[in-house]
Amino acid sequence: MSSSPSDLERIKIHSRYLRGTIAEGLRDTVTGAISEDDNKLLKFHGSYLQDDRDLRDERRRQKLEPAYAFMLRARLPSGVVTPSQWLEFDRLAREYANGTLRITTRQTFQWHGIIKRHLKPTIAAIHEALATTIAACGDVVRNVVSTANPVESEAHALAYAWATRLSAELAPKTRAYHEIWLDGEPLVEEPKQEEPLYGTTYLPRKFKIGLAIPPLNDVDVFAQDMGLIAIIEQGELKGFNIAVGGGMGATHGDGSTYPRLASVMGFITPDRLLAVAEAVVTVQRDWGNRSERKHARLKYTIDKHGLDAFKAEVETRLGFALSPERAYRFDHNGDRYGWIEGNDGFWHLTLQIESGRLADNGDRRWLTGLRELAKVHRGDFRLTCNQNVIIAKVEAAQRQVIDAIVVAHGLDGYRAHSGIRRHAVACVALPTCGLAMAESERYLPDLLPKLEALLESHGLRDAPILLRLSGCPNGCSRPYLGEIALVGRGPGRYDLRLGADFRGQRLNRPYRENVDEAAILEALAPLFADYAAGRQQGEHFGDFLVRTGVIVEDTPRIDTEVAA
Amino acid sequence: MSGRPKEVDVNAVVAIDNRLPSMEASRLSTLERLVDGLGPAELYWIAAWSAARAERLQRGDAATTGAAKAAAVQLTILYGSQTGQAKRVAAQLHARAEAAGLAARLIRADAYPQRELAKETHLVVVISTQGDAEPPDDARGLVEFVLGKRAPKLPGLRYAVLGLGDSSYPQFCAIGRQFDERLAELGATRFAALGEADVDVDAVAAPWSDSALEQAKQVLGTSQPVRVATLQPVPHRATYTREHPFQAAVLDNQPIVARDAGRDVRHVELSLEGSGLSYEPGDSLGVWPSNPPVLVEQWLGVLKLDGEQLVTHEGRSLPLRQWLAREREITRLSRPLVAVLADASGEEELARLLRPDQSAALAALMAEYQPIDLWRRHASDWSAEELVAALRPLTPRLYSIASSRKAVGEEVHLTVGVVDYIAHGERHWGAASSFLAQAGDEQSLPIYIEPNERFRLPQDDARDIIMIGPGTGIAPFRAFVQERRETGARGRNWLFFGNRHFSSEFLYQVEWQAALRDGSLHRLDLAFSRDDVAKVYVQQRLREQGRELYAWLQEGAHLYVCGDATRMAKDVNAALIDIATTHGGHTHEQAREWLSDLLQQGRYARDVY
């Protein structure tokens, strides 16, 4: 393997802190695209160029360029959205995007189908709504996620505060964003040092931070580059366990890439959180692989140097040692649907949004429904890492009004859904995602009834089973943590993976490779039968498969009770 | 005789140079730099080479630049890649070939000018297979071309193919294999056996590259590039005319607007092989259409006539259906036809339209209605003989040719706006456009060339040209730009194009983008009228660019307009007058004179309809 820097490193260095020629590219009226190099930089601004892959070949024959449009992603720390922001985001979806809003697995919104001349007004409007898209993608610290737990209101407030601070501290500082999108004064000279943390080349690869408040692991804290596990004792935030080196992405047929769970390396008090985060980020900045992008995530840096060496370097930079990790316990990594009362007397309603897609389709007028809710709701909205939404901080007297809107727009499906449907997550995939090898979001509605019929025939209709669909091995839907996961290989073909646990603490294993739907259902049928017949009290499907030896566990499970 | 030319006085040569009026000083100095330090043998060789080149130029065979370029490359490495793996392998091979001293070039399949394939001598193809036997997106065009019936014979080609694939699919590396087999079928010779790499690409790709490179070095090291003598068909006089049209095979018939465009525009490619027909950019193609069969049946129904009935007219006997389909104009109204109809039906309303003071109303009627609409409204009894006698003979339709022969060889391309709309509660068709739109692969069409001497590229290829061609008016400018690219014309090319929507109706978008990249188009200004609230047309873009446009014209540029005559051409004319007043300081009257001068000089040419 060559050790010269990857092409993207060259692009970053010469970008003048993410400026490149994006502004010029936006003015080119001959194409709906921008240059490849600029597209790489655009990611750091929260957007990238896609095209409608359903139309790609047809348009080639028509001598037309692909149907280019931009995906735009907001940076919403902890997934909190105010009603007025919601109304604005909804307007942008209808006016400039494809008429839908997409809740992502990282607790934020994506817009799809924004054509080039609408990109700037959309970003400007998001800025006006007091949100941003900077660093929603790119080789930087992305949107910081945290447990969407409005019930433990004080703990959630604290978690949200820390996630927000981390997000702000670790965001890029370049003025490029203002210049390009917000009509900021353009830079005439060569830029001075604009990025004290990142420097000219930013990070070797994306960097994800998630904060979990046990017993909820809805953020899948072990899938993060840096996971923070809040330690709360008697309602007081004592600090955080720090886990490093989680990540989902892999490449088919390349054993040197793999999903990995984060390793817990110690405990810190809240006052040291920013310093520790910065130290972990800068060690990755300096040690990460900059010639081979598929080996550039923190997980490979840690496996290359060893966790001990990595931790020692972090401690050297900090000038103090991390404390031993504290005890914690996770119950599950899903969302709790329906109404729930918080300990401050407010009520919170979690709605299931299949694949996170808010659109109006027949009786399911979800985009309109949420818009109507935003018009009357006085609390806030919280997006979850499972692509759902919480109507948070509702006064008891308001519940009826909210419920009426929910029912009128077909948003009350969570009440009757099967166990597997309530725990299904799918990435976007075709037709917009350039990486997709197979369908995901569009396939979920076809697949679910077939799985439901199978489960029902074994009396398992209500068994909660984590199902995760992914159009490619890169893992936006965190497929390696699904009890059942399909990872796309090609049109209509998937790797079937089984045996993760229900708490995001054990990776699944491949069970069938490159198979079609018939083979998937055929493989699952006997397993469902065995599970129905032989499960122990409260035993989850993934745990059952491991206990009975169907799946052999080879990744050490995160020890949950180390210090207990 | 020693064979050595007698010594020439150096000063005499310079004197000759100085007498060449068109040779700029900069070119001369470039030339001097190039020959600086060369010995007499090399200089005499260059003189002979230049003379041969000049001769070819005079013969009108200017397609030498491309060929010369291709000949300099010994090894062409093409790749078709979806995930970047094939690209990576190809790039590595390219780097190693260059390091080994081979003149190699690396080209992505969709950037490869397919016409060059026939001239290749050594070719490596690295291509992946997607899913079950699908080519990568960037190679779809090339795969279609090579596997298709238009692929050239390749007796002079030596090649090697490396396929990439995923062996968990039934048809592992299908595209690589098809490519390899097809090249052999076309007469090419393998210099390395087909390689088939699985998901762990390098396990096969690395050793294959090693051996392919070795083979390439041996082949290129030991043999001169294979030269194939191409047989030129003996040109015979064009005997095909309007009256005796050539039956041209349909090579391609492709919609070039997106599915949501709301109307159909076709790119039609016809073969001229064996016709001896030739054309220049700016010429038109005459097409003898057949009327839409559905329309013919509608006529028979409305008039309650039997299509099988034999009708004799002017000494020819044909079934009525054939008269209507092939021989008679049934999609356009004319004054005589309105007169006959008025007479037969006794309708006062129709008769009134024929009065001299009603010409505007008659024109409106003829624009809005087809004959069948009037038959429907003014039913009267007609015999088949009366009908055939009343209708005008069918005439051919002219389309501006959208190709340059230097670029497409023995083909002719058209850009056809398909006339197919609902009016007065019924579907309506245009005769020729619907005829062309339904023309299938195996069909041939009666065609001839209609020269248009008034719509020609400047003789002096250093002149700039400005082309204004909204909608299907773009057609001749595709020919112009192709021609100027092939001849290496020195002047700049500036195109104004407009249509309703950028995303669905930017005709030949990817070709214009490629032309901007390769320098054969210098400027492209666009106006899409329905993309925003405010409607923008080409004349507005002309005004916005008025200063520069006027400067181009003052420097001798030629200006061309093609497309809609009723509105666009008039609006453009008005915009040009405005520009001359605003930027040329002319009065309105002077501006009109200036424009008519341009017309006189042949520097303002229009092909409007």
Side-chain angles (χ1 to χ4, degrees), chain A residues 29-32 36 55-65 117 252-253 489-491 493 514, chain B residues 137 140-141 144 166 168-169 199 254-259 267 502-503 506 509-510 513 526 531-532:
Chain A
T29 56
V30 174
T31 173
E36 276 182 44
L55 300 178
R56 199 183 273 177
D57 195 43
E58 177 176 314
R59 290 181 63 94
R60 180 187 63 77
R61 290 169 193 282
Q62 290 162 344
K63 305 182 192 291
L64 296 168
E65 70 178 12
R117 65 175 187 279
H252 283 312
R489 287 288 290 248
R493 301 180 82 92
N514 201 7
Chain B
D137 283 339
R140 283 179 184 273
E144 267 173 23
D166 179 344
S168 56
Y169 287 100
V199 183
Q254 169 64 49
I256 53 168
V257 289
R259 56 166 82 172
H267 174 73
F502 168 84
S503 69
F506 186 170
Q509 180 183 25
V510 296
Q513 290 174 345
L526 299 164
D531 277 348
D532 276 303

